[in-house]
Amino acid sequence: MSRYKQEAGMPTADVCRRHGISSATFYKWKSKYGGLEVSDARRLSQLEQENERLKKLLADSMLDNAMLKEINAKKF
């Protein structure tokens, strides 16, 4: 919504002040979500969260694998 206000001519500083964000945050969000509809932005957020969860699972699995290899190497 604030993107539309800014595009409609409302100064960026006023939009930022109204929503309690810095202009740097505004432009960062604008570059990331600029052409997306709300539903697309939500889906992107969900995908990023899922990606983060999968990365953690992979890291845990790799750590477990490395520990098992180390234990197995010490047995022989």
Side-chain angles (χ1 to χ4, degrees), residues 22-72:
S22 69
S23 60
T25 299
F26 177 84
Y27 287 113
K28 182 179 177 182
W29 287 349
K30 185 176 179 180
S31 70
K32 186 172 185 177
Y33 302 110
L36 299 178
E37 295 296 322
V38 173
S39 62
D40 294 334
R42 284 189 182 129
R43 180 71 180 138
L44 177 61
S45 179
Q46 289 172 345
L47 290 171
E48 287 174 339
Q49 289 174 356
E50 178 70 6
N51 191 32
E52 186 65 30
R53 187 182 72 79
L54 292 172
K55 283 181 179 180
K56 287 179 182 178
L57 286 172
L58 177 63
D60 288 343
S61 176
M62 291 174 72
L63 183 59
D64 290 345
N65 192 13
M67 288 188 318
L68 289 173
K69 283 183 180 178
E70 188 175 317
I71 291 170
N72 195 23

Side-chain angles (χ1 to χ4, degrees), residues 3-22:
R3 174 181 75 142
Y4 301 115
K5 292 176 186 174
Q6 192 257 349
E7 289 175 356
M10 181 181 253
T12 302
D14 292 344
V15 174
C16 294
R17 191 174 314 109
R18 182 174 182 174
H19 294 284
I21 59 172
S22 69

